[in-house]
Amino acid sequence: MDQTTVPPSTKEGPLSCMKMDFVKPVGRQNQTSVTEFVLLGFSGGRKKQTLLFALGLLVYLLTLAGNLAIIVLVWIDQCLQTPMYFLLGNLSFVEICYTSTTAPKMLWDLLLRDKTISFIGCALQMYFLVTLGSTECVLLLAMAYDRYAAICHPLRYTLLMSQKVCWGLLACSWAIGNFNSFINTALVFSLDFCQSNEIDHFFCDIPPLLKLSCSDTSVSQLVTFTISGGIMIGAFGLILLSYILIVFSVLKIHTAQGRIKAFSTCVSHLTVVSIFFGTIMYTYLRPSSSHSMEQDRLVAVLYTIITPMLNPLIYSFRNKEVHGAVRRALSKDRWSP
């Protein structure tokens, strides 16, 4: 079969030489085989990049420390070995993995200005990002179900949240996450990418990759909206339903102190749900024509870097059980021979 060489782009820029080295002509006219992408990331001079690197490194280290602390406390403290803290420990593990899919590469780019990422590396980054994001959606739903069972059915709580049920909820969240990610990653990376290999983002994500493609992306957008949107909206809707039932149940409590105590166990979870679902719905459920890459980058920083750092603080703030676990972990009796 005859091959037609794709003419070089007439647009030139600081990355134009690098870009064309990684875009190889293939059989059909105006289509290319990309072997590497360039993550444009955050613009600015050297001083701004260095400042962003320092801030990003600090936030990443705080995220690792906070979430690892939650995991260790749940593991070593008998008082925290309950269904609620079992799910919280797994949420912390997901948060560590989630932020680690984007933050190290972002920091590397800011420090060394090496903004390239291989085609396979980009696909893997997007796969793990979507898997972990979808898993967190379902895991937050499982935590809402735990609060519903504890407040609305306290006498049946041990049955409704048995160890078998907890592991089943965890397995279900990971299965849904991997299924969603496999479908989306396969669809996005089966598209053709023409001329440019510059991704206007600091990681490989669905919206900027769809913008970069020269193929018809209507099927990919429809699948993303149907499957990913279905998971997000479905999980968020069931969480809302759980809290509506919780509110009705709490209002039946006769004492104000009892109502406050019941609601206080839900505040942390509601805060995390609001931040997480608000940002990802804004990013993935808008029409592609309304996407602003500058806004998307700022929102992405919130849900991939800032939120994982805040979650341990949100769940430990004014939490007497966590405070008690920290005191017991730091006590001399635990470590004395």
Side-chain angles (χ1 to χ4, degrees):
M1 180 176 68
D2 293 335
Q3 292 189 344
T4 304
T5 303
V6 178
S9 173
T10 57
K11 296 182 180 179
E12 295 183 1
L15 294 171
S16 59
C17 295
M18 180 189 299
K19 175 174 67 176
M20 294 310 297
D21 288 340
F22 303 124
V23 183
K24 298 181 179 179
V26 295
R28 289 176 290 175
Q29 190 175 4
N30 295 330
Q31 293 184 353
T32 56
S33 175
V34 173
T35 59
E36 287 194 358
F37 290 102
V38 178
L39 296 169
L40 298 182
F42 300 99
S43 59
R46 186 65 183 175
K47 288 185 178 180
K48 182 181 177 181
Q49 301 272 314
T50 304
L51 177 61
L52 288 173
F53 169 79
L55 290 173
L57 180 61
L58 176 62
V59 170
Y60 182 54
L61 292 176
L62 289 173
T63 300
L64 294 180
N67 285 287
L68 279 172
I70 293 290
I71 293 171
V72 171
L73 285 174
V74 172
W75 182 43
I76 67 174
D77 196 282
Q78 291 291 330
C79 295
L80 296 186
Q81 292 180 6
T82 63
M84 182 177 75
Y85 288 104
F86 169 81
L87 294 173
L88 178 59
N90 280 279
L91 178 66
S92 291
F93 173 74
V94 170
E95 295 285 31
I96 289 173
C97 297
Y98 191 51
T99 194
S100 295
T101 61
T102 57
K105 175 59 178 168
M106 180 194 72
L107 294 172
W108 179 269
D109 293 348
L110 289 170
L111 183 65
L112 299 178
R113 293 178 176 267
D114 177 18
K115 296 178 178 292
T116 59
I117 184 170
S118 68
F119 186 89
I120 297 298
C122 188
L124 287 173
Q125 187 184 56
M126 195 184 102
Y127 179 84
F128 287 117
L129 186 77
V130 177
T131 295
L132 293 161
S134 305
T135 300
E136 185 166 347
C137 283
V138 184
L139 202 52
L140 288 171
L141 171 59
M143 295 174 77
Y145 171 71
D146 169 77
R147 293 297 82 212
Y148 162 77
I151 295 173
C152 299
H153 302 283
L155 299 179
R156 299 175 57 203
Y157 179 70
T158 54
L159 177 64
L160 295 174
M161 289 300 297
S162 64
Q163 189 177 45
K164 184 177 179 181
V165 171
C166 289
W167 282 105
L169 291 171
L170 185 62
C172 183
S173 65
W174 280 100
I176 291 174
N178 277 278
F179 170 76
N180 179 41
S181 185
F182 179 80
I183 298 296
N184 277 286
T185 305
L187 280 173
V188 169
F189 284 90
S190 64
L191 300 172
D192 295 305
F193 298 94
C194 302
Q195 299 299 320
S196 178
N197 65 338
E198 297 176 354
I199 299 175
D200 193 10
H201 216 313
F202 64 93
F203 62 89
C204 296
D205 200 10
I206 296 174
L209 282 165
L210 292 179
K211 271 195 169 185
L212 198 65
S213 175
C214 57
S215 302
D216 180 8
T217 61
S218 57
V219 174
S220 297
Q221 290 184 52
L222 179 62
V223 170
T224 298
F225 185 82
T226 303
I227 300 180
S228 300
I231 292 170
M232 284 185 273
I233 295 172
F236 186 67
L238 289 173
I239 289 171
L240 285 180
L241 177 62
S242 297
Y243 276 105
I244 290 171
L245 296 174
I246 286 171
V247 168
F248 283 134
S249 181
V250 168
L251 291 177
K252 295 177 182 177
I253 299 174
H254 298 293
T255 64
Q257 187 177 0
R259 288 195 292 270
I260 293 171
K261 185 177 180 180
F263 273 129
S264 66
T265 63
C266 304
V267 172
S268 299
H269 181 256
L270 273 173
T271 304
V272 171
V273 165
S274 301
I275 297 172
F276 181 77
F277 279 95
T279 52
I280 62 171
M281 285 182 176
Y282 175 82
T283 300
Y284 295 106
L285 297 185
R286 287 181 298 152
S288 58
S289 58
S290 66
H291 276 267
S292 164
M293 286 299 110
E294 188 66 30
Q295 291 178 358
D296 284 358
R297 278 195 296 271
L298 294 175
V299 174
V301 167
L302 184 61
Y303 70 79
T304 62
I305 298 174
I306 303 299
T307 301
M309 179 194 71
L310 293 177
N311 283 356
L313 300 175
I314 293 170
Y315 276 104
S316 60
F317 182 67
R318 297 182 67 181
N319 188 318
K320 293 180 181 180
E321 292 175 324
V322 174
H323 293 173
V326 172
R327 286 193 295 270
R328 288 188 291 273
L330 297 177
S331 65
K332 295 180 180 179
D333 294 339
R334 174 177 287 276
W335 306 109
S336 60

